[in-house]
Amino acid sequence: RRSLLAALASFSFFIPTTALSAKGRELAIFYSFSGNSKRVAEVFQKLEHCDVLEIKTLEPYNAYNAREDRKKKKLPLISPLDIDLDSFQKIVLIFPVWGYTPSLPMQSFMREHSLNNEVEIISVGVARLGGMYEDIHKLLPQAKITRFTHISRASDLTDKELETMLRYRSLPPSMHAKLTKGLDEFSHARERCSHRCERLKNLSFTD
């Protein structure tokens, strides 16, 4: 019996596309490159008891592909989602941050689907956020973005810590834009200070 309970506890929380009822009020859609965003989505689904869909590229996608696409300002093709997104009141988008902006496969999804739903953003990663909110607003002009959460260094957090962060998340987009701008300015200033300190340490003094 104990082994059966252990097996059930480790069972995937992700629901296959064909099993989605499309009657729920909330749907989480995620893209994950290294597994961190998938883990966030898994904890989120366990917390919210919502349906979850994964965005997948049509072709295998690695770091080289991502770098080349960014250089060419090209978005990868993604697999179609076999579900009526309009049947959900709220869509939660979970994705990694790549260079101040959403990951390219998530941008592909945003360009293909003009969401009219209430939308919540959960970004994951250590990159600066920069003007990401403005980018998302341009990609989803008709969506009503109600909440914006950023999870930094998700790989360093336990499932319990992730659950706590997600349970008490609450940051309106306008406040997020102000906060991330201030954090980015602080980060730039800290880097400049660090470079200056390094130069001072390398100076040779003579009598």
Side-chain angles (χ1 to χ4, degrees), residues 105-141:
M106 179 56 75
Q107 287 191 48
S108 295
F109 167 80
M110 293 179 180
R111 287 194 182 277
E112 290 182 15
H113 302 276
S114 55
L115 300 178
N116 297 309
N117 322 64
E118 175 186 340
V119 174
E120 177 179 350
I121 303 296
I122 300 178
S123 58
V124 182
V126 296
R128 295 194 196 100
L129 302 185
M132 187 171 65
Y133 171 69
E134 288 76 9
D135 290 342
I136 293 174
H137 186 70
K138 292 175 183 176
L139 289 164
L140 299 173

Side-chain angles (χ1 to χ4, degrees), residues 28-207:
I29 300 174
F30 76 93
Y31 170 75
S32 187
F33 185 77
S34 62
N36 289 324
S37 295
K38 180 176 182 178
R39 183 165 160 256
V40 171
E42 184 177 56
V43 173
F44 182 84
Q45 186 188 32
K46 184 178 179 181
L47 178 67
E48 298 289 337
H49 305 288
C50 63
D51 290 329
V52 171
L53 279 178
E54 181 177 7
I55 293 173
K56 295 182 178 180
T57 55
L58 284 178
E59 301 292 336
Y61 204 65
N62 55 34
Y64 174 79
N65 300 138
R67 283 195 299 269
E68 290 300 304
D69 282 350
R70 287 185 61 187
K71 287 179 184 177
K72 300 174 183 176
K73 297 183 178 180
K74 174 187 173 184
L75 296 179
L77 296 176
I78 59 173
S79 301
L81 300 180
D82 186 20
I83 192 169
D84 179 14
L85 297 177
D86 290 334
S87 61
F88 291 90
Q89 177 181 336
K90 181 179 179 181
I91 304 288
V92 182
L93 302 179
I94 304 172
F95 55 83
V97 180
W98 292 355
Y100 306 96
T101 196
S103 54
L104 298 183
M106 179 56 75
Q107 287 191 48
S108 295
F109 167 80
M110 293 179 180
R111 287 194 182 277
E112 290 182 15
H113 302 276
S114 55
L115 300 178
N116 297 309
N117 322 64
E118 175 186 340
V119 174
E120 177 179 350
I121 303 296
I122 300 178
S123 58
V124 182
V126 296
R128 295 194 196 100
L129 302 185
M132 187 171 65
Y133 171 69
E134 288 76 9
D135 290 342
I136 293 174
H137 186 70
K138 292 175 183 176
L139 289 164
L140 299 173
Q142 300 180 42
K144 181 184 178 184
I145 302 175
T146 58
R147 187 182 287 175
F148 203 126
T149 302
H150 181 68
I151 298 178
S152 180
R153 302 185 184 279
S155 59
D156 295 337
L157 301 176
T158 65
D159 284 359
K160 190 64 178 177
E161 289 170 332
L162 272 177
E163 181 180 334
T164 300
M165 290 186 69
L166 292 170
R167 185 184 299 276
Y168 297 104
R169 70 196 186 281
S170 180
L171 190 60
S174 58
M175 182 62 70
H176 170 269
K178 294 177 182 178
L179 178 62
T180 52
K181 181 181 179 182
L183 289 174
D184 286 346
E185 289 175 353
F186 172 77
S187 181
H188 282 301
R190 186 174 61 180
E191 285 183 5
R192 289 196 299 270
C193 180
S194 176
H195 291 322
R196 289 170 183 167
C197 289
E198 284 297 321
R199 287 200 298 269
L200 286 173
K201 283 198 302 184
N202 294 329
L203 286 176
S204 59
F205 293 90
T206 57
D207 294 334

Side-chain angles (χ1 to χ4, degrees), residues 17-33:
T17 304
T18 54
L20 287 173
S21 63
K23 294 179 181 178
R25 295 172 60 84
E26 184 176 43
L27 171 68
I29 300 174
F30 76 93
Y31 170 75
S32 187
F33 185 77

